[in-house]
Amino acid sequence: MAEPDPVVEAVFDAVAATAPTIRDALPGRRVESGTENPSGETVLAGDVYADELLAEALGAVEGVGSFVSEERPEAIEVGGAVGEGGEGAYAVAIDPLDGSSNLRSNNAMGTVVGIYDAPLPATGRDLVAAGYVLYGPITTMVVADGSGVREEVIERGNGGDGDADSGVARSVVDDDLTLPDEPTVYGFGGRVPDWPDAFREYAREIEDEFKLRYGGAMVGDVNQVVTYGGVFAYPALSDAPDGKLRLSFEANPIAYIVESMGGASSDGSKSILDVEPDGIHDRVPLHVGNEELVDRLESALDG
Ligand code: AFP
């Protein structure tokens, strides 16, 4: 097994260390901030808080050269010193609070992280690691670092697997996360009338075979697939042919994680990781899950 990349480890140490602080800040930050993000979406106070905290924490990590966020128009240059292993400075891309509209309804949301060894916009093949924090009944973090996928539970306090003075206790609950062989759940975003006919026909087949698990936050819905096997999609829509999810901040990291677990991803015709972006805020239709279900999707859309 490859030696862990010290910069990648330091990035996820910083993400884990901020998680309890972000979680504690959510109750007081359910209101709109009065601003929009570069994708034209309403930004909540929770989005702004998480973005600023993570920008500070990740910008301080040696080996991180630039910080890019779904909430910011451009990358910001930070530090940039090469990592301890002599590797070049990485670009860290985040969705600071994915599913923040679930704040009002008190449902799951999280933070998505992608570590690229190329300046953005970059393809998913430039990822060296990816992960997500999920704020559910408990706080968990899933990390794919090139040598497998692990799941951690993160709590306030010291001890566990975490660094004693980081103020968090981290416990690895699975150090070799793989997709279950038998799929059981599905979750599809967007409105049924807006789905292309071929996707709607595919969805009808899937609905007859599996249980619906859709909560409106990609990290929560993908974690259902990661846990129980199945397929998640936010497809192309009639009024949004590129779908809703952002390639750099959501689709690439999630595709990297699911493919690292033995699953598959697709933009409808090829792996998400092969999508060539024009800009850092490009959107892309995202489909991830068990390979057989993604293959069936691509056949249905190619029909
Ligand atoms: P918010 O961050 O605005 O809540 O959007 C979340 C998201 O980008 C992604 O996490 C979900 O999968 C998707 O949007 C849900 O979109 P719908 O509200 O259209 O179902």
Side-chain angles (χ1 to χ4, degrees):
M1 179 170 303
E3 281 298 306
D5 178 328
V7 180
V8 167
E9 289 305 295
V11 165
F12 286 105
D13 288 347
V15 171
T18 58
T21 304
I22 291 173
R23 184 179 188 111
D24 290 348
L26 294 178
R29 289 176 172 80
R30 303 170 76 182
V31 295
E32 295 186 6
S33 67
T35 62
E36 284 189 349
N37 67 15
S39 300
E41 295 164 336
T42 300
V43 173
L44 298 188
D47 291 307
V48 173
Y49 181 81
D51 177 67
E52 289 173 353
L53 197 67
L54 286 161
E56 183 183 354
L58 294 172
V61 174
E62 179 178 335
V64 174
S66 66
F67 171 82
V68 208
S69 166
E70 184 180 287
E71 308 305 343
R72 297 172 188 241
E74 303 294 337
I76 53 173
E77 298 311 309
V78 290
V82 293
E84 291 167 7
E87 64 283 347
Y90 291 143
V92 176
I94 69 162
D95 178 357
L97 203 56
D98 172 69
S100 57
S101 58
N102 276 352
L103 256 176
R104 289 177 56 195
S105 60
N106 190 26
N107 283 282
M109 68 200 76
T111 296
V112 187
V113 181
I115 305 177
Y116 295 85
D117 64 357
L120 270 65
T123 76
R125 299 297 175 191
D126 293 317
L127 282 166
V128 295
Y132 59 83
V133 173
L134 177 56
Y135 299 110
I138 61 175
T139 301
T140 54
M141 182 167 73
V142 168
V143 176
D145 60 6
S147 58
V149 186
R150 69 176 187 269
E151 180 181 35
E152 301 182 22
V153 171
I154 298 174
E155 300 170 88
R156 271 217 176 282
N158 291 331
D161 302 353
D163 175 342
D165 64 7
S166 66
V168 292
R170 296 167 59 184
S171 308
V172 176
V173 293
D174 189 334
D175 63 2
D176 184 23
L177 212 51
T178 55
L179 272 185
D181 291 334
E182 288 306 313
T184 58
V185 300
Y186 76 95
F188 297 150
R191 298 174 63 250
V192 175
D194 297 333
W195 291 344
D197 292 345
F199 184 82
R200 191 160 41 248
E201 286 163 26
Y202 168 78
R204 289 285 178 263
E205 287 178 17
I206 296 294
E207 287 165 354
D208 285 347
E209 297 173 44
F210 307 117
K211 294 186 291 186
L212 171 61
R213 291 291 183 273
Y214 188 78
M218 176 191 67
V219 286
D221 296 328
V222 166
N223 207 57
Q224 292 269 16
V225 170
V226 162
T227 308
Y228 297 114
V231 57
F232 167 82
Y234 204 106
L237 306 176
S238 52
D239 59 348
D242 291 331
K244 175 179 183 184
L245 303 179
R246 272 63 39 146
L247 177 68
S248 301
F249 309 105
E250 294 162 309
N252 268 340
I254 291 301
Y256 181 90
I257 293 163
V258 173
E259 291 193 13
S260 298
M261 301 174 62
S265 76
S266 178
D267 68 344
S269 63
K270 61 183 177 300
S271 168
I272 288 285
L273 303 181
D274 291 324
V275 174
E276 292 282 352
D278 296 319
I280 61 175
H281 293 285
D282 284 10
R283 298 176 192 266
V284 67
L286 172 65
H287 319 79
V288 288
N290 288 75
E291 189 166 8
E292 62 179 287
L293 299 182
V294 175
D295 290 347
R296 277 171 57 181
L297 166 94
E298 291 187 339
S299 301
L301 297 188
D302 187 37

